[in-house]
Amino acid sequence: MKKDGNRLEGIGERIDVRLTLLEEALGMTPGDPEIYGNWIASKAPEPENGAEEVGVIEGMDAVEDATTCFPRTEDGVPFCWDYQIKGFFKDACSALRRVPGTRSSKLTAFKKVIDGTVFVEQRRIPFQLPEGAECGRCERPLRASSASGERVALAASETVPAGTVLEFSILVMNPKDAETVREWLDYGALRGLFQWRNSGKGRFEWEEVA
């Protein structure tokens, strides 16, 4: 029997976003395919998505002993995955729920809302670096207390510079949540994307585009 099309088409509100980094952002993807497959991709809700992500890492040239990096398109362009943006939404909503007067403070079961009714339409979101810019590298110490005393390790990550642009579309199935999503995006100027955002890395401004 022939299907009549997607009955959900036209439901909800679409937000087209242009996001510009105010500070450099750090890659989150382990450059070792085995580590990525065992610890990250294996936990993907859809097995084919995990296999796709491992395949991207296996097809990349090694990033010079960087602990974490950005995946690359077939043309070598760094990108982030859709779920990394949704991870930011969860982080933003979790924080803003503690702030009286925000829309997020009134949103119940927010993780289920983000998982089930808020979608980033593009699976891979390319980074548009400023003209002439290249990916860089950020090294920082990681400190941890243990029974034998404080331990310090050096972490390294690939970076994309301030001024880098991301463009993507967000489908909010319940239109009443659209302003809450915009609130999370506004929060990005204070709380950045990806790794080491407590230090201000990955802070951004955004605008809606036609």
Side-chain angles (χ1 to χ4, degrees):
M1 180 181 295
K2 183 179 179 180
K3 294 184 178 180
D4 296 327
N6 192 330
R7 290 172 176 78
L8 295 178
E9 187 174 350
I11 291 178
E13 182 171 340
R14 176 184 171 127
I15 306 173
D16 294 318
V17 172
R18 178 181 293 123
L19 180 157
T20 304
L21 293 180
L22 300 172
E23 302 284 347
E24 68 177 2
L26 278 60
M28 297 178 64
T29 301
D32 186 328
E34 183 175 354
I35 293 175
Y36 191 85
N38 289 340
W39 295 100
I40 299 179
S42 63
K43 297 176 175 58
E46 300 294 338
E48 62 271 19
N49 288 348
E52 175 193 4
E53 293 168 23
V54 172
V56 168
I57 300 301
E58 289 177 338
M60 288 169 48
D61 293 332
V63 177
E64 184 183 352
D65 54 269
T67 303
T68 57
C69 61
F70 294 105
R72 295 292 201 278
T73 66
E74 292 79 0
D75 297 329
V77 177
F79 69 88
C80 71
W81 297 103
D82 53 352
Y83 65 80
Q84 293 174 320
I85 302 298
K86 292 185 71 167
F88 164 76
F89 291 161
K90 292 178 183 179
D91 182 61
C93 190
S94 176
L96 291 172
R97 280 170 58 82
R98 298 175 174 84
V99 182
T102 62
R103 299 182 67 89
S104 299
S105 66
K106 302 177 180 65
L107 186 63
T108 59
F110 72 95
K111 291 184 179 179
K112 289 186 177 180
V113 170
I114 294 170
D115 284 336
T117 64
V118 179
F119 299 96
V120 177
E121 293 188 1
Q122 295 80 3
R123 171 75 171 137
R124 306 181 186 193
I125 307 169
F127 291 100
Q128 303 172 34
L129 275 63
E131 186 175 357
E134 297 180 351
C135 290
R137 178 182 174 91
C138 176
E139 295 183 348
R140 70 273 187 204
L142 297 179
R143 293 180 172 85
S145 298
S146 67
S148 58
E150 187 172 273
R151 303 176 64 182
V152 180
L154 185 66
S157 298
E158 186 180 26
T159 65
V160 289
T164 296
V165 171
L166 291 169
E167 294 184 328
F168 54 91
S169 300
I170 306 163
L171 174 62
V172 187
M173 296 191 71
N174 189 340
K176 74 180 182 64
D177 293 329
E179 284 303 309
T180 309
V181 173
R182 292 183 175 96
E183 180 178 84
W184 302 337
L185 291 164
D186 287 341
Y187 184 61
L190 304 172
R191 173 81 161 170
L193 288 166
F194 313 137
Q195 288 200 84
W196 212 21
R197 52 190 179 271
N198 283 338
S199 72
K201 298 294 185 183
R203 293 192 305 115
F204 64 87
E205 60 186 6
W206 74 283
E207 60 182 320
E208 289 190 50
V209 294

